[in-house]
Amino acid sequence: MSEVAVKSGHPKGLWVLFGTEMWERFNFYGMRAILTLFMVNALLMKEEEASIIYGGFLGLCYLTPMLGGFIADRFLGNRNCIMIGGVMMAIGQIMLFFSASIFGSNLGLANALLWGALGIIVFGNGFFKPNISSMVGSLYPKQEKSKLDTAFTIFYMGINIGAFLGQFICPFVGDVKNEVVMADGSLNMIRDVHAFKYGFLAAGIAMILGTVLFYVLKNKYVVTPEGRPIGGLPSGHDASDYEEGESMKAEFSMKSIMITIGVFLAVFAAFYFNTDGTNVVKLYIYPFIYASGVALATLILLDKTLTKVETQRIWVIYIMSFFIIFFWAAFEQAGSSLTFIADNQTDRNIFGWNMPPSMVQIFNGLFVVMLAFPFSLLWDKLRAKNIEPLSTVKQSLGLLLIALSYFIIAHNVKDLGTSGLLAIKWLILLYLIQTVAELCLSPIGLSLVGKLAPKRFASLAYGVFFISSAAGYALSGTLGSILPATGDKFKKAEELGIDLQGVLDKTISPTAEQLKLLADNQINDHYKSFAGFEIQNLYDFFMVFVVLCGLAALILFLLTPMIKKMMHGVR
């Protein structure tokens, strides 16, 4: 590739990584769209349990990039880790396919396959995720780092084309409801629980395609302007890749490692002993995620080679990562609570077609595909006029918008009662606003890490960034589990001869037999609470996200002047 071509456009390697990530996101988001519905309807889990597992699974998916980044930086290189991750995720999807094929005859084995598949996907994602993002940043020489916001926005569009395809095709073949004539002659839509396997199979095929694409094209296009391979073995790094005066190797003493271990144990214990209940995911996985994030952040800061400027820039990454937790905690309700609401208390009729509930998430991917390029042009034009907002301002705006989306939906569910249906247009509007928020926040965060992180910490710094997503997903699982009873629960309780509203309000004392009936039908007999507040209805539930994200947006905006100084000229 010539120097002129490099300066006038984006390298072809960006499009190889774009395509690889697109198929991987098809695989991930397609599986994610139907996962909780599969757990509830085929494996007979409670919605609360499915939400907690979902949050823990996503959290681990964004925790293991720490391990994948470390292995790439020290041993295998980005390329090999991407190949390993792609193969592992494909195997995980095939295991989900078999789980969804045998649950009717062997529920125990189906559950075992589910847990095994999720574990393999977790580690596969850990190898894949930080390394492909790191390679995008490495495509651009030092003098072209200003293009990274645009590059990551284009890359993010690839992510969401894949998400759109996965969230359309996997639910289309896997979340199927058939019209059935009931005994009284009425028509009812009954879910075909055996169709989930086809959704998982489609996700597996997509992952295989993405892995093959990368394997075939990486040596030709994923290279520096001079033609050297990007993401090879760490021993092949060249000194010219580093900033002037920048250390090429991190140095961690035994003392720093011991301090890091102590920090991990202290944070784990703090969360463990303040967690109620007996759920294994809540008791062990969530504290492990939070403790890992704090411990890794501590370890990097203990590196002896860090300069004052590098240290302050790393602190900027940490501050931004902390606020991203609240964004993902709200945004990732899409795969749990919002999917259950779409399934149980939403009129999904679109021009005579009853959209599968797991497909409602598709609007996020669709809107990103439509809006990513205009946003890329917007940042370019604002940058050319020297009026582009700082990354902190962009992320504050993203948090504010997500608070707005939940404020609108909260007021539209306020008067639904237990039998009303939410119009699907409000969920579509929610996803539109959240898409704009996402484009202000997520790709800009990826770009910021690429600009601020010392090269010797490149993949590991992305690991820290993704751990903030992991913490957000863990929090999303906790928040999703407080979803109050939706209309279908009240209807089912009525069929069982139980006044669920009276039970919840404690105006009726249920018998032991009634309590068992409610438990057997996955219906809670009490209101849940968060931070001391009882969540009695959907309005209360959605206002939790309004308050969390609104406060986070305000605080981050107020911190902008301080953060600007700590960035030392990086925008």
Side-chain angles (χ1 to χ4, degrees), residues 395-461:
Q395 295 201 19
S396 298
L397 178 60
L399 284 163
L400 183 63
L401 286 171
I402 206 144
L404 173 64
S405 72
Y406 279 111
F407 183 77
I408 293 172
I409 206 79
H411 280 271
N412 278 283
V413 300
K414 192 172 184 179
D415 300 319
L416 280 184
T418 61
S419 58
L421 294 178
L422 177 69
I424 195 172
K425 65 181 180 181
W426 297 115
L427 284 178
I428 295 174
L429 177 61
L430 176 139
Y431 283 122
L432 174 60
I433 296 173
Q434 290 193 359
T435 298
V436 176
E438 185 183 6
L439 287 170
C440 288
L441 186 144
S442 193
I444 304 308
L446 290 170
S447 172
L448 189 71
V449 176
K451 294 175 183 177
L452 293 175
K455 190 170 184 64
R456 63 190 181 282
F457 288 124
S459 294
L460 205 57

Side-chain angles (χ1 to χ4, degrees), residues 70 73-75 234-235 237-239 242-243 245-252 300 303-307 310 454-458 460:
F70 176 80
D73 282 347
R74 289 299 185 99
F75 304 108
S235 59
H237 285 173
D238 190 277
Y242 296 80
E243 300 288 344
E246 180 182 347
S247 175
M248 293 176 61
K249 186 177 180 181
E251 294 180 9
F252 299 118
I300 292 177
D303 171 42
K304 293 181 178 180
T305 65
L306 284 175
T307 65
E310 287 177 335
K455 190 170 184 64
R456 63 190 181 282
F457 288 124
L460 205 57

Side-chain angles (χ1 to χ4, degrees), residues 237-302:
H237 285 173
D238 190 277
S240 63
D241 294 335
Y242 296 80
E243 300 288 344
E244 184 178 351
E246 180 182 347
S247 175
M248 293 176 61
K249 186 177 180 181
E251 294 180 9
F252 299 118
S253 66
M254 181 57 65
K255 179 181 177 181
S256 65
I257 293 173
M258 295 305 296
I259 292 173
T260 301
I261 293 173
V263 169
F264 174 87
L265 293 175
V267 176
F268 183 91
F271 280 100
Y272 175 83
F273 289 111
N274 286 282
T275 299
D276 297 325
T278 59
N279 186 282
V280 173
V281 176
K282 285 178 67 176
L283 279 175
Y284 296 102
I285 293 180
Y286 285 7
F288 183 83
I289 290 170
Y290 299 138
S292 296
V294 177
L296 178 63
T298 302
L299 178 63
I300 292 177
L301 289 175
L302 292 173

Side-chain angles (χ1 to χ4, degrees), residues 264-523:
F264 174 87
L265 293 175
V267 176
F268 183 91
F271 280 100
Y272 175 83
F273 289 111
N274 286 282
T275 299
D276 297 325
T278 59
N279 186 282
V280 173
V281 176
K282 285 178 67 176
L283 279 175
Y284 296 102
I285 293 180
Y286 285 7
F288 183 83
I289 290 170
Y290 299 138
S292 296
V294 177
L296 178 63
T298 302
L299 178 63
I300 292 177
L301 289 175
L302 292 173
D303 171 42
K304 293 181 178 180
T305 65
L306 284 175
T307 65
K308 180 180 178 181
V309 170
E310 287 177 335
T311 300
Q312 292 190 358
R313 286 175 173 175
I314 287 173
W315 269 111
V316 172
I317 294 174
Y318 292 172
I319 293 169
M320 304 291 276
S321 297
F322 174 76
F323 285 99
I324 281 174
I325 292 173
F326 301 100
F327 176 86
W328 290 118
F331 187 87
E332 274 304 329
Q333 296 305 307
S336 55
S337 64
L338 290 176
T339 293
F340 294 139
I341 291 169
D343 190 23
N344 301 320
Q345 204 162 349
T346 299
D347 179 4
R348 303 186 307 278
N349 190 286
I350 299 180
F351 303 116
W353 175 53
N354 202 38
M355 174 177 277
S358 58
M359 196 184 288
V360 176
Q361 302 172 49
I362 198 175
F363 291 106
N364 171 242
L366 176 63
F367 290 139
V368 171
V369 172
M370 293 169 57
L371 297 175
F373 187 66
F375 264 76
S376 175
L377 292 178
L378 173 65
W379 302 140
D380 283 344
K381 288 185 177 180
L382 292 177
R383 189 184 310 117
K385 296 179 181 179
N386 202 31
I387 57 174
E388 182 184 14
L390 285 173
S391 296
T392 50
V393 176
K394 294 176 184 177
Q395 295 201 19
S396 298
L397 178 60
L399 284 163
L400 183 63
L401 286 171
I402 206 144
L404 173 64
S405 72
Y406 279 111
F407 183 77
I408 293 172
I409 206 79
H411 280 271
N412 278 283
V413 300
K414 192 172 184 179
D415 300 319
L416 280 184
T418 61
S419 58
L421 294 178
L422 177 69
I424 195 172
K425 65 181 180 181
W426 297 115
L427 284 178
I428 295 174
L429 177 61
L430 176 139
Y431 283 122
L432 174 60
I433 296 173
Q434 290 193 359
T435 298
V436 176
E438 185 183 6
L439 287 170
C440 288
L441 186 144
S442 193
I444 304 308
L446 290 170
S447 172
L448 189 71
V449 176
K451 294 175 183 177
L452 293 175
K455 190 170 184 64
R456 63 190 181 282
F457 288 124
S459 294
L460 205 57
Y462 278 108
V464 173
F465 181 79
F466 287 125
I467 288 177
S468 70
S469 299
Y473 295 143
L475 182 57
S476 80
T478 298
L479 295 175
S481 70
I482 65 174
L483 176 71
T486 45
D488 63 306
K489 306 297 187 299
F490 289 92
K491 182 179 178 181
K492 183 63 180 179
E494 184 179 358
E495 294 173 358
L496 297 171
I498 302 172
D499 179 4
L500 180 57
Q501 190 66 63
V503 172
L504 292 171
D505 292 336
K506 297 187 176 5
T507 58
I508 293 175
S509 298
T511 65
E513 182 182 356
Q514 288 176 323
L515 288 174
K516 186 177 185 306
L517 280 172
L518 291 174
D520 290 344
N521 286 275
Q522 305 171 8
I523 302 173

Side-chain angles (χ1 to χ4, degrees), residues 59-168:
L60 288 175
C61 278
Y62 284 81
L63 173 65
T64 49
M66 174 181 66
L67 176 62
F70 176 80
I71 292 174
D73 282 347
R74 289 299 185 99
F75 304 108
L76 299 181
N78 302 127
R79 294 176 170 224
N80 291 329
C81 284
I82 288 172
M83 292 299 302
I84 292 170
V87 171
M88 290 181 72
M89 284 189 282
I91 291 172
Q93 296 293 357
I94 300 304
M95 290 176 67
L96 284 175
F97 167 77
F98 283 113
S99 175
S101 301
I102 66 168
F103 70 88
S105 58
N106 194 332
L107 186 59
L109 179 57
N111 272 286
L113 283 171
L114 169 78
W115 287 102
L118 295 183
I120 290 175
I121 292 171
V122 159
F123 282 100
N125 186 80
F127 277 105
F128 189 98
K129 193 69 179 172
N131 292 297
I132 197 162
S133 297
S134 177
M135 290 180 77
V136 172
S138 299
L139 283 170
Y140 295 83
K142 289 176 286 188
Q143 66 271 21
E144 294 187 26
K145 292 297 183 183
S146 62
K147 289 184 178 181
L148 279 177
D149 273 4
T150 304
F152 273 109
T153 301
I154 293 171
F155 182 68
Y156 211 67
M157 186 165 63
I159 290 174
N160 284 276
I161 290 174
F164 170 80
L165 292 172
Q167 289 169 342
F168 177 79

